[in-house]
Amino acid sequence: METDVVVVGAGLAGLAATAELAEAGKRVVLVEQEGEQSFGGQAFWSFGGLFLVDSPEQRRMGVRDSLELATQDWMGSAGFDREEDLWPKRWAEAYLDFAAGEKRSWLRQQGHRFFPVVGWAERGDGRADGHGNSVPRFHVTWGTGPGLVEPFERRVREGEARGLVTFAFRHRVDELVLTSGAVTGVRGRLLAPDDAPRGRATTRDETGDFEITAQAVIVTSGGIGGNHDLVRRAWPARLGTPPARMVAGVPAHVDGRMIGITEAAGGRVINPDRMWHYTEGLRNWDPIWENHGIRVLPGPSSLWLDARGRRLPAPFFPGFDTLGTLRHLMSTGYDYSWFVLTQKIIEKEFALSGSEQNPDLTGKDVRQVLGRVKKGAPGPVEAFKQHGEDFVVAATVEELVPRMNALVGDDLLDTGEVRRTIVARDNEIANSFSKDAQVTAIRGARNYRGDKLIRVATPHRLLDPKAGPLIAVRLNILTRKTLGGLETDLSARVLRSGGEPLAGVYAAGEVAGFGGGGMHGYNSLEGTFLGGCLFSGRTAGRAVAAAL
């Protein structure tokens, strides 16, 4: 087969690149090792959160933001400190301009819309010039992940209808074809058809070979989150010992194969030790893929204890500093921790990441969404409480702690110590003054009208029987994103180790660290992964179209 461009990977970055190419009149073969049921990749399963700066949604919620403040937050979080951070930093600057500029209008032109309440993710490590968002910037797509994928899938299918886009599903790329030092196509194996539902593991039975010749190849194949062996191999010493037990935030086919394949062809991989994994993972009681984990998107009120029942120190509160908390937990010698909370907290503060866990937003059901302000936990959250193996519910601490110990099969928790920790925290709720940094943070969060309306419970004592029952939630490490990857210049061209482009090959999305080989640096501000896929995919598509 011969074409103008091969795009490897039908996730969000691949769709964005393909849409731009087709609209520029280029012929594209979109290659994907999974079936058509996996169109949209991991974006389909996402909450659909996007990072925007100084948006109308922010202003309507009383949030004052600016490119200057966002740049301070991004650079304080990224902590760029390596020679190879030249292109990642340039990509970060370009992405910030995009997020503060045309990103919203570009999406709206395609029919995309946002839920009106802006979320405040990654509130930070407590330093003005350190990690974290100074203001709410997490804009949830109306329709969540499927709603974000839809405009780009529509554009790509329009390209197919015009004869410009050809889908090559169940085509697994094993090699980039090199001719005189330039990439001139791909070759690999055909995989047997498999109609397993989206996310389920599919057969790797091979039925033949294929080769596609092209003027350019764009690699948009995602990261390594589904391959826990690769995750552990890349795990940095600064985050402690890799966890022996993790839950999977992505399906197994998110395997990182194309990173190594592109590297073998001459591309340079940088910052492989930079990664983004969550500490608030739940084992899905109704799993879609093997070892399926769901992340709790927590409000700030739950009491966070390590495996031995010791309260996590500031600033490691729910929703504040993901990797700082991960580093601290790995230093305890255990790969799990606990939230202790009340029914009142779970009703207001527990959200679950993922399109399938938010049927009201995903289905664009206004009536259901309005139900979030009513008494009672959202249906998916209540289902996890009832059926999830990580949940323990009891009327008293004396009943709760033995059940927590029984869940993990160890007597690490002492009932008296856990009670003393809870009482000490509760004593700080008695008046409007407090030396407890988490209590202060809870009250500060409620100064934001969006948090007060639907996200942060009224401060109360955990042992207040009117707020009960008590709930304990075991939290697991959840694999998610690769922050490093293939080094690219601002045209998304993959670079060699000497800094010159590897002719004929481009990269976008997670395989390229969302741009440059790691535009997030060491930390994410959240809402930046999907946006990074869109920006880098669009950039790659436009750059290739202009070059051909």
Side-chain angles (χ1 to χ4, degrees):
M1 189 184 298
E2 184 275 331
T3 189
D4 295 329
V5 187
V6 171
V7 176
V8 184
L12 190 59
L15 295 182
T18 301
E20 295 293 330
L21 287 162
E23 288 168 8
K26 306 303 177 183
R27 295 175 301 138
V28 185
V29 176
L30 181 56
V31 177
E32 169 59 52
Q33 67 175 337
E34 294 302 303
E36 189 167 2
Q37 66 270 36
S38 291
F39 217 64
Q42 299 323 297
F44 177 90
W45 297 111
S46 75
F47 199 35
L50 292 173
F51 176 96
L52 293 178
V53 179
D54 192 27
S55 69
E57 288 78 14
Q58 285 175 297
R59 294 193 292 272
R60 280 194 290 268
M61 296 303 297
V63 176
R64 295 185 179 182
D65 199 6
S66 68
L67 178 57
E68 179 185 11
L69 183 60
T71 301
Q72 174 180 299
D73 288 347
W74 191 291
M75 297 306 170
S77 296
F80 294 122
D81 60 1
R82 299 173 178 174
E83 183 178 339
E84 55 264 46
D85 283 333
L86 170 67
W87 288 111
K89 186 177 180 182
R90 289 180 180 177
W91 269 90
E93 292 166 345
Y95 180 70
L96 284 162
D97 286 340
F98 178 62
E102 65 170 315
K103 181 179 180 180
R104 182 180 181 277
S105 61
W106 176 64
L107 287 168
R108 283 186 67 83
Q109 287 170 4
Q110 301 176 71
H112 179 276
R113 296 294 184 268
F114 288 114
F115 182 62
V117 179
V118 182
W120 194 352
E122 281 298 297
R123 299 170 193 237
D125 63 10
R127 299 175 296 147
D129 58 354
H131 168 59
N133 286 292
S134 298
V135 298
R137 297 191 177 106
F138 191 81
H139 297 66
V140 177
T141 297
W142 185 234
T144 67
L148 181 58
V149 169
E150 189 279 328
F152 298 93
E153 179 175 354
R154 171 173 40 80
R155 291 171 64 194
V156 168
R157 292 195 184 278
E158 288 171 356
E160 181 194 26
R162 294 167 54 207
L164 292 169
V165 176
T166 300
F167 298 132
F169 295 109
R170 302 298 286 165
H171 285 56
R172 186 191 67 207
V173 173
D174 295 328
E175 182 183 357
L176 297 181
V177 179
L178 283 168
T179 305
S180 301
V183 172
T184 56
V186 299
R187 64 169 62 104
R189 299 288 284 170
L190 299 171
L191 301 179
D194 192 326
D195 60 359
R198 179 192 289 267
R200 301 280 188 192
T202 55
T203 180
R204 287 300 179 259
D205 292 343
E206 300 172 358
T207 62
D209 302 309
F210 74 91
E211 183 168 337
I212 307 172
T213 300
Q215 297 179 63
V217 174
I218 305 177
V219 180
T220 60
S221 54
I224 67 173
N227 187 330
H228 290 189
D229 289 338
L230 281 182
V231 169
R232 292 188 180 93
R233 198 178 309 162
W235 193 275
R238 65 180 177 275
L239 292 180
T241 303
R245 187 180 65 97
M246 297 182 284
V247 292
V250 293
H253 65 257
V254 185
D255 53 21
R257 292 180 71 256
M258 285 304 302
I259 298 175
I261 289 168
T262 310
E263 186 177 28
R268 185 188 185 198
V269 176
I270 60 174
N271 303 315
D273 62 310
R274 292 177 179 169
M275 53 183 63
W276 190 256
H277 307 303
Y278 293 110
T279 53
E280 313 98 330
L282 306 175
R283 289 191 176 277
N284 195 342
W285 66 273
D286 187 19
I288 295 169
W289 53 83
E290 185 178 355
N291 194 28
H292 187 179
I294 294 291
R295 187 204 173 195
V296 177
L297 299 173
S301 300
S302 296
L303 184 68
W304 207 335
L305 306 178
D306 68 18
R308 290 190 174 275
R310 297 167 296 200
R311 188 178 182 187
L312 271 58
F316 306 138
F317 310 137
F320 275 68
D321 183 356
T322 293
L323 291 192
T325 306
L326 178 60
R327 182 175 61 248
H328 174 79
L329 290 175
M330 290 300 94
S331 73
T332 68
Y334 296 89
D335 53 20
Y336 69 92
S337 59
W338 295 97
F339 276 170
V340 176
L341 60 151
T342 63
Q343 180 67 24
K344 186 173 181 178
I345 291 173
I346 202 172
E347 290 180 359
K348 192 88 174 255
E349 298 196 9
F350 262 44
L352 300 171
S353 182
S355 55
E356 81 282 12
Q357 300 297 332
N358 295 274
D360 52 349
L361 292 168
T362 302
K364 303 181 182 180
D365 189 320
V366 175
R367 181 174 297 179
Q368 272 193 297
V369 170
L370 292 174
R372 291 185 176 229
V373 301
K374 298 178 181 178
K375 185 175 177 57
V381 173
E382 188 63 30
F384 263 87
K385 188 182 120 184
Q386 295 292 330
H387 306 295
E389 67 178 79
D390 296 307
F391 284 73
V392 180
V393 181
T396 67
V397 176
E398 286 69 27
E399 296 174 15
L400 188 74
V401 173
R403 294 180 188 176
M404 295 165 71
N405 282 331
L407 178 61
V408 299
D410 209 332
D411 291 329
L412 293 175
L413 301 175
D414 179 83
T415 301
E417 286 299 317
V418 172
R419 172 173 276 280
R420 277 189 285 275
T421 300
I422 294 174
V423 168
R425 179 263 187 205
D426 280 2
N427 286 340
E428 297 293 311
I429 295 291
N431 54 61
S432 57
F433 303 97
S434 178
K435 66 179 181 182
D436 188 298
Q438 184 179 4
V439 172
T440 300
I442 294 167
R443 289 173 174 154
R446 285 178 60 82
N447 287 330
Y448 169 48
R449 72 179 67 150
D451 277 352
K452 187 173 184 178
L453 178 65
I454 63 170
R455 200 72 180 97
V456 182
T458 305
H460 62 277
R461 293 181 297 111
L462 297 180
L463 297 182
D464 181 352
K466 294 192 298 292
L470 286 169
I471 302 167
V473 184
R474 179 180 59 183
L475 304 172
N476 309 276
I477 307 303
L478 176 79
T479 61
R480 186 71 87 184
K481 294 299 179 186
T482 308
L483 297 188
L486 295 166
E487 185 179 28
T488 59
D489 64 13
L490 285 179
S491 294
R493 297 181 298 179
V494 173
L495 303 180
R496 294 179 176 272
S497 58
E500 70 278 11
L502 173 59
V505 65
Y506 298 69
E510 191 173 353
V511 75
F514 303 94
M519 74 170 187
H520 295 89
Y522 289 95
N523 285 288
S524 168
L525 291 176
E526 294 284 52
T528 54
F529 301 133
L530 295 170
C533 288
L534 291 174
F535 181 60
S536 60
R538 187 183 84 153
T539 297
R542 292 182 177 183
V544 172
L548 298 187

